[in-house]
Amino acid sequence: MGALLKLIDAVLFVFFMVIALAAPLIDAQTCLPLSLFPDLLLDLKNWYAREYGDYLVAEKPDFFVGIVWLELFFQWPLALLNLYAILAQKPWFNTTCLIYGASCLTSMVTILSELIGSHKASDKLLMMYFPFLGFGVLAILRGLMPHSGRTTSTIGKRPQLGRKKRV
């Protein structure tokens, strides 16, 4: 079980690194003034919107802007906390991972419902978003698993009484 937890933590670490970088540099362009970003990042986001046909990024519907605000103010800090928790093997990682996963899953279900229901999304675009849904589920499952750090549990153990062993 320890090796599986380490593998899951490694996968989540990469995912949280992507979020830690992409949220403030790319996703924030959806709701913050574009003058705050260098041309390179603006060009990267415009290329992505054209290449994948991401009409949500291009058109910025209100619900999508709201989800990006949620990502910036709630999910992004949780992703940073989770990166620290994985590196430092903090016991509260399960809690923050579970919270992040539930928020991510909710956001992705909303976005994917729009993409699929509108019939505007290409398979290429859906394949961009579906992994984030999977990572949300993985984060929830990891949050429900035991902590991977070395701790000894006292649950179910009785305290030693001052009894002497009989021979």
Side-chain angles (χ1 to χ4, degrees):
M1 181 77 158
L4 177 63
L5 287 179
K6 289 194 183 300
L7 176 63
I8 291 170
D9 288 352
V11 169
L12 287 173
F13 186 84
V14 171
F15 170 67
F16 291 133
M17 280 297 293
V18 168
I19 298 302
L21 296 172
L25 299 176
I26 306 298
D27 296 344
Q29 294 176 38
T30 301
C31 51
L32 295 176
L34 297 179
S35 61
L36 296 175
F37 302 94
D39 290 339
L40 177 68
L41 292 177
L42 296 173
D43 293 342
L44 179 63
K45 185 159 186 179
N46 290 332
W47 169 84
Y48 162 77
R50 279 189 319 274
E51 181 69 22
Y52 288 88
D54 196 335
Y55 68 94
L56 295 176
V57 170
E59 297 172 11
K60 300 179 185 178
D62 291 338
F63 88 93
F64 186 70
V65 173
I67 289 173
V68 172
W69 278 115
L70 171 73
E71 181 182 12
L72 292 175
F73 283 113
F74 187 70
Q75 293 177 355
W76 182 64
L78 277 173
L80 296 176
L81 280 172
N82 285 334
L83 286 170
Y84 171 70
I86 290 171
L87 290 174
Q89 295 184 355
K90 294 296 183 180
W92 43 262
F93 172 60
N94 290 19
T95 304
T96 55
C97 198
L98 182 61
I99 294 168
Y100 182 91
S103 181
C104 179
L105 179 67
T106 304
S107 297
M108 287 301 106
V109 166
T110 304
I111 290 170
L112 286 165
S113 295
E114 162 61 28
L115 292 174
I116 293 168
S118 71
H119 303 289
K120 293 182 184 179
S122 66
D123 289 342
K124 188 176 182 180
L125 179 60
L126 290 173
M127 295 314 292
M128 255 331 256
Y129 279 100
F130 268 116
F132 290 96
L133 179 75
F135 284 120
V137 171
L138 185 63
I140 289 171
L141 294 175
R142 178 59 183 94
L144 296 173
M145 290 180 177
H147 176 63
S148 61
R150 292 183 181 255
T151 58
T152 56
S153 176
T154 58
I155 297 172
K157 294 181 182 176
R158 296 186 311 197
Q160 291 289 332
L161 298 176
R163 298 183 196 167
K164 293 182 181 181
K165 284 187 174 181
R166 293 184 185 174
V167 182

